[in-house]
């Protein structure tokens, strides 16, 4: 009886972890001031985290432990692993807007904002 209870507890824990989604994080380096879904970020280094296994996720951009922006994003698969961490920025006029975050050695990227996420989804 005790053995059966133990197996039930282990199975319950595995299911709870599996259903909670996937949490991930990475780094973002901006070389110039950049707009992220309406939030202006200064040039600098930031931490990026998101929960879920996609495709739609909410991304938190942080400086230290302070959340500076929370933006909608879509997990997209790249044809090849990105050689290094990089930010894809759309420059229109004098403004710069973050549209994608790529992570070194990974084939998964984050398409930032609803417009970017929609373009990525329609190109599949």
């Amino acid at each position: 009886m005790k053995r059966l209870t133990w197996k039930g507890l282990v199975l319950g824990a595995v299911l709870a972890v599996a259903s909670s989604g996937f949490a991930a994080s990475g780094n973002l380096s901006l070389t110039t001031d950049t707009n992220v879904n309406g939030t202006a970020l200064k040039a600098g280094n930031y931490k990026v985290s998101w929960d879920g296994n996609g495709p739609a996720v909410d991304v938190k951009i942080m400086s230290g432990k302070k959340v500076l922006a929370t933006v909608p994003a879509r997990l997209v698969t790249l044809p090849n692993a990105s050689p290094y961490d990089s930010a894809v920025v759309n420059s229109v006029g004098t403004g710069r807007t973050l549209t994608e975050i790529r992570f070194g050695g990974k084939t998964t990227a984050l398409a930032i904002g609803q417009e970017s996420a929609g373009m990525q989804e329609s190109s599949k």
Side-chain angles (χ1 to χ4, degrees):
M1 184 68 170
K2 287 182 182 180
R3 195 171 192 185
L4 185 58
T5 302
W6 176 250
K7 285 182 182 179
L9 289 173
V10 170
L11 179 61
V14 168
L15 290 174
V17 169
S19 66
S20 67
F22 175 73
S25 64
N27 297 306
L28 170 65
S29 180
L30 299 174
T31 57
T32 61
D33 295 355
T34 303
N35 183 348
V36 180
N37 200 36
T39 301
L41 294 179
K42 300 274 186 200
N45 297 313
Y46 300 93
K47 182 172 175 141
V48 178
S49 69
W50 66 98
D51 288 320
N53 52 9
V57 295
D58 283 327
V59 176
K60 293 179 183 173
I61 300 175
M62 298 170 286
S63 178
K65 292 185 179 189
K66 182 179 180 185
V67 176
L68 302 176
T70 301
V71 297
R74 184 165 295 279
L75 287 172
V76 295
T77 302
L78 303 172
N80 299 306
S82 181
Y84 43 83
D85 291 346
S86 60
V88 178
V89 178
N90 183 10
S91 297
V92 179
T94 59
R96 296 172 49 89
T97 303
L98 181 68
T99 59
E100 192 172 275
I101 303 171
R102 298 179 181 177
F103 305 99
K106 306 290 183 191
T107 57
T108 302
L110 293 168
I112 301 296
Q114 295 184 18
E115 298 87 15
S116 180
M119 287 189 297
Q120 291 291 335
E121 183 68 10
S122 65
S123 67
K124 290 184 180 178

